[in-house]
Amino acid sequence: MPTANQKRMIQHINATVFKLLRDYHFDEITIQKVCDVAEINRSTFYRYFQDKYELLYTLPDYIATQFQNEDTKLFASTEESFQQFIYFIGENKKVFRHLLTSSSQADVFRNLTHVSRDLMLENVKHHNDPLALKIQQNQHPEIIADFYSSSMIEVFRRWVEQDYNYSVDEIFSTLHDILDMSFRCTDQQ
């Protein structure tokens, strides 16, 4: 179990890479560049990470903590939390584009989907809106959460890669309508 100081250093290194992703694709970021910007020695980097790809796999968890630091626990509904997540991605679109176009994009996509799923499963415990109820009341909540999170992450990937030329509001509205339609179809059965 990492100590508080070790956790802070891991957080610092992740924050540095997140910052670098605003200007560089992940494949362009070297360990030396991370060390220079983080103002740490290479030996410090290697104390926490075997290589930059191990660091890459920790970024989705770091991103989740950044999103959660936006006071997501205060949201009144899963929908509001979902909307804030879309805005968070919109504000950091360049970071996600640089991350999702790396040579390891399949692993990043899988990790982001897993983190999104975990956030969704945790979030529904605190709400009683249609999405939360659908997940809570299902015999297999993990499957529902996997379905929604992988679908959303794919839409976000295509959006940040500029396959879609839509605003944050248009993305939210469209995904909200899809969710709303799926709830209405379920209610009519």
Side-chain angles (χ1 to χ4, degrees), residues 31 35 41-52:
I31 292 171
C35 293
N41 294 322
R42 287 177 71 91
S43 60
T44 301
F45 178 90
Y46 287 114
R47 189 174 309 135
Y48 299 100
F49 301 100
Q50 186 174 19
D51 55 28
K52 77 176 197 172

Side-chain angles (χ1 to χ4, degrees), residues 33 60 64 73-74 80 99 101 106 121 142 147 158-159 184:
K33 188 176 289 197
K73 300 289 187 219
L74 301 176
E80 190 177 359
L99 193 57
T101 57
L121 288 171
E142 299 86 8
F147 175 79
R158 294 194 59 176
W159 180 42
R184 278 189 269 134

